[in-house]
Amino acid sequence: MKNELGFKLMLAFEGFEVPQRIRDWLGERPSAGFTLFRPLNVQTPAQVRALTAELQTIAAQANQPPLIIAADQEGGQLNALGEETTLFPGNMALGAARDADLARQVGQAIGRELAAMGVNVNYAPNCDINSNPHNPACGIRAFGDDPALATEMAAALVTGMQAEGVAATIKHFPGKGEAKVDSHYAMPLIDHSRARLAAVELRPFRAAIDAGAKLIMSGHFAIPALTGSLVLPATLSRAVMRDFVRDELGFDGIVITDALDMGAISQGAGQIVDVITAVRAEIDLLLLTNDEEVQERLYAGLQLAFSRGLIEDCHLEPSLARIMALKRWIGQMVQPPLEVVACAEHQELAQTVANRSVTLVRNDAGLLPLHLPSEARIAVIMPRPKDLTPADTSSFITPTLATAVRAHHPHVDEFITNHPPTIDEITSLREKAAGYDLLIVGTLSAAMDEMQAVLVKALLGTAVPTITIALRTPYDLTVYPDAKTHICTYSILPSAMRALAAALFDEIPFQGRLPVRLGELYEFGHGLVGEHCSAGQ
């Protein structure tokens, strides 16, 4: 049993081909598998397919069962397999579209593309309820703040994804939507009663389990209603990971930790204590990053813990049986041709999601739909995309808002600011605004970025008609509430920008509805839906 402890570790490495260190590891030690990361392992779909095939070949030559190969292909702000895959707008856009069958189709398309690239586990869907608008790590990764909506969408994504032979991972159990800090940096406290958890946070997890989800990812946060402790992360609690997950929820699949390099988990020499605690809590897989020293230290530490009786066969046997069952399941996956990645059918589906999610929140000035004279000048202003959390690939996205608007109107100038904008940029843009007939101002989570709100307020103070766009989280209107025309897209991806521009110029109707409440301004489900949304509708 000691020699099988390697099956507990999900490893990672840097390289677009398999490095010699990983070849040696697979030749000498049992291994669960690998997580692929966008900056470390991904160039093109063809390269990823070759990389995963090489990993599986090396494992087979070492008489190992099929490797678990995973990635965070959530859609929206987190696309771990690069911009040459189909870029779906993400969970909150699906929440705004309000169509479970559409979500199932998206899950199936994502699964098909992952399978074509040799990835057999997706760390998705995110089942957190975004009940805290200021949650720094959730936002558009959630379907919204309504448990019923999240429940329906999560089950649909799981069903679609696993129909293609790719295992879904529901996260972050038992729900961290209320978190006030990012667990990458510190440990959040989720201080809800068991009754509240049952009524809100746990509902999408239960539905996803009923839909057959193969994996649950644990959350690194304190949840005293389940653990009885203000300092113990749920990941390390047997009361959560064994008693609650197995006995109360009846889940018989794999439980995997969130990444073990996060600030909510002990780091350095003391990390082995948390790892042993997780194994004794019957966590199945330990998610590591690419730090070679950490991988070696934890592998050796687990071996020593077993030899000293801190980890016993009773902690390992059920877990290893579950891991082998998953490996057998993924081993049956039929790999589609690479041509399915970013195929026309999937691109059309992504555009459908974008078209149906774009939400007209306010049109008090009657600006929409736009019917501008051909000589009118439009200024499009937005911050340069960047990764706002470690679970983010936005920095890889080139802004296309101005390009999308330019497809409908000839005179469009683009202004990309720093993120956040500087005082000098704000002053300059306010002066330049007078030379335009319309301002289209996009913001990226301005509700948590004071300077973006300062910019919008400065531009609203001019006499130039202005349309504000929440390009990421929908809460931005709460920090510049004087905006008269406001839209939410839930995404900066090209499909969302095309949908926005088409709706602005009356080529498609606004169809989305808010999947969250906007403070005291608008309730869940609000949206000015229809072909012609004039003031007062």
Side-chain angles (χ1 to χ4, degrees):
M1 193 68 67
K2 175 181 176 180
N3 292 332
E4 295 180 305
L5 280 163
F7 284 126
K8 302 282 287 181
L9 300 180
M10 282 294 289
L11 305 175
F13 60 86
E14 182 173 0
F16 305 124
E17 298 177 349
V18 182
Q20 188 60 46
R21 180 182 74 88
I22 296 300
R23 292 176 177 275
D24 294 342
W25 185 299
L26 289 172
E28 298 165 3
R29 301 164 174 170
S31 301
F34 298 89
T35 304
L36 304 183
F37 292 98
R38 173 72 179 87
L40 301 180
N41 309 112
V42 176
Q43 291 176 310
T44 67
Q47 170 266 323
V48 172
R49 183 179 171 111
L51 175 63
T52 59
E54 188 180 12
L55 285 167
Q56 296 290 13
T57 297
I58 296 168
Q61 290 171 345
N63 295 315
Q64 293 207 36
L67 295 170
I68 300 166
I69 300 180
D72 280 292
Q73 192 75 345
E74 292 184 8
Q77 74 183 51
L78 186 54
N79 291 285
L81 294 176
E83 286 61 63
E84 292 186 32
T85 61
T86 302
L87 300 178
F88 289 98
N91 279 6
M92 196 166 280
L94 287 170
R98 295 287 201 286
D99 187 333
D101 186 61
L102 188 63
R104 180 194 57 77
Q105 293 177 55
V106 169
Q108 196 159 2
I110 291 173
R112 191 177 300 128
E113 295 197 7
L114 293 181
M117 290 181 282
V119 176
N120 49 44
V121 168
N122 194 9
Y123 296 148
N126 189 317
C127 292
D128 298 322
I129 307 292
N130 201 58
S131 53
N132 175 17
H134 299 288
N135 186 319
C138 194
I140 59 171
R141 299 173 69 195
F143 295 106
D145 63 12
D146 180 72
L149 175 66
T151 294
E152 186 179 30
M153 295 295 162
L157 272 179
V158 167
T159 299
M161 207 176 299
Q162 294 191 169
E164 295 297 325
V166 171
T169 308
I170 52 178
K171 60 185 184 184
H172 303 82
F173 187 84
K176 67 172 185 178
E178 192 66 26
K180 297 178 176 61
V181 296
D182 189 338
S183 55
H184 287 90
Y185 307 113
M187 185 169 69
L189 171 64
I190 309 298
D191 198 13
H192 293 317
S193 68
R194 286 183 69 106
R196 154 66 191 242
L197 292 172
V200 179
E201 279 75 15
L202 291 171
R203 288 175 60 185
F205 289 100
R206 289 183 184 274
I209 290 170
D210 289 344
K214 297 291 184 182
L215 295 92
I216 285 177
M217 180 177 286
S218 68
H220 298 330
F221 50 84
I223 187 158
L226 298 181
T227 66
S229 171
L230 293 171
V231 296
L232 180 66
T235 294
L236 308 182
S237 171
R238 186 175 178 85
V240 177
M241 295 300 133
R242 171 63 183 85
D243 301 342
F244 196 79
V245 170
R246 305 295 180 195
D247 294 342
E248 292 201 34
L249 297 185
F251 181 68
D252 60 0
I254 295 290
V255 177
I256 183 172
T257 69
D258 206 344
L260 291 177
D261 66 335
M262 294 184 177
I265 296 293
S266 299
Q267 301 299 307
Q271 189 178 40
I272 188 60
V273 176
D274 280 358
V275 167
I276 293 169
T277 305
V279 173
R280 288 174 63 90
E282 292 195 23
I283 286 278
D284 296 306
L285 294 176
L286 303 159
L287 177 52
L288 307 184
T289 54
N290 64 309
D291 189 312
E292 297 178 23
E293 187 274 331
V294 170
Q295 292 176 10
E296 293 288 348
R297 171 161 45 83
L298 295 185
Y299 181 80
L302 286 172
Q303 301 286 317
L304 183 61
F306 186 85
S307 69
R308 297 294 190 265
L310 296 174
I311 298 173
E312 301 179 49
D313 288 352
C314 64
H315 301 123
L316 295 179
E317 288 175 350
S319 179
L320 292 172
R322 289 188 290 266
I323 292 167
M324 291 305 132
L326 178 63
K327 285 176 172 280
R328 286 192 296 272
W329 187 83
I330 62 178
Q332 300 170 5
M333 181 180 76
V334 177
Q335 189 168 30
L338 193 61
E339 287 72 25
V340 304
V341 179
C343 65
E345 178 186 352
H346 293 177
Q347 298 284 13
E348 183 179 352
L349 180 60
Q351 192 62 58
T352 297
V353 175
N355 291 352
R356 293 181 59 182
S357 61
V358 62
T359 305
L360 179 58
V361 177
R362 181 182 286 177
N363 191 27
D364 291 355
L367 286 180
L368 300 179
L370 291 176
H371 296 291
L372 300 173
S374 60
E375 67 274 11
R377 299 186 66 208
I378 300 175
V380 172
I381 302 163
M382 66 172 286
R384 186 169 305 283
K386 68 178 183 180
D387 296 340
L388 298 183
T389 81
D392 199 344
T393 54
S394 298
S395 61
F396 290 95
I397 303 300
T398 300
T400 58
L401 175 55
T403 301
V405 174
R406 203 172 284 127
H408 299 265
H409 189 81
H411 302 297
V412 178
D413 292 332
E414 179 181 50
F415 299 92
I416 303 296
T417 73
N418 284 301
H419 193 174
T422 66
I423 290 293
D424 287 345
E425 286 176 318
I426 293 170
T427 301
S428 174
L429 286 168
R430 194 180 191 285
E431 292 172 352
K432 291 176 179 177
Y436 292 91
D437 301 289
L438 176 68
L439 307 179
I440 298 176
V441 187
T443 54
L444 294 168
S445 296
M448 292 186 278
D449 182 350
E450 178 184 3
M451 294 308 293
Q452 287 189 68
V454 170
L455 170 60
V456 173
K457 290 174 182 178
L459 295 173
L460 292 174
T462 70
V464 183
T466 300
I467 299 171
T468 55
I469 318 288
L471 296 171
R472 187 160 163 148
T473 51
Y475 307 104
D476 293 5
L477 186 63
T478 64
V479 295
Y480 47 75
D482 292 338
K484 301 298 183 185
T485 309
H486 186 73
I487 299 166
C488 297
T489 64
Y490 318 99
S491 169
I492 57 170
L493 297 175
S495 59
M497 299 301 90
R498 289 191 294 268
L500 168 64
L504 287 174
F505 288 91
D506 206 23
E507 289 195 1
I508 63 171
F510 286 98
Q511 300 178 71
R513 297 184 183 274
L514 285 175
V516 298
R517 178 178 177 175
L518 295 190
E520 299 301 318
L521 296 176
Y522 295 104
E523 293 295 326
F524 170 88
H526 170 80
L528 302 178
V529 178
E531 295 185 6
H532 301 282
C533 294
S534 59
Q537 281 189 282

